[in-house]
Amino acid sequence: MSYRSYPNADRARRQVDRHHVQQPAPIPTMRVAMADWVVAALESALEAGRPFREMIEAL
């Protein structure tokens, strides 16, 4: 497909602004809460695995 310049640049910009710019979706509060839960779960797993990690480091 060969290049063709758009006949009216202002019209092209308006069309791009109207159809191709997507607004970001708001972040659901449940996703924010899930992130906090994941951080808490990882901290708990790290603490639960501490004795095993210390044993392996001692070897």
Side-chain angles (χ1 to χ4, degrees):
M1 181 174 190
S2 62
Y3 172 77
R4 289 186 341 175
S5 63
Y6 205 85
N8 184 339
D10 292 329
R11 180 173 174 244
R13 286 187 197 100
R14 282 194 309 269
Q15 184 176 4
V16 168
D17 289 341
R18 183 173 56 241
H19 293 292
H20 298 289
V21 176
Q22 297 178 358
Q23 298 297 325
I27 299 174
T29 55
M30 184 66 154
R31 183 174 290 179
V32 174
M34 287 175 63
D36 294 338
W37 299 337
V38 168
V39 168
L42 289 173
E43 288 174 348
S44 176
L46 185 62
E47 183 60 29
R50 187 177 49 81
F52 180 73
R53 187 175 62 249
E54 290 172 354
M55 179 186 69
I56 294 298
E57 289 173 352
L59 291 175

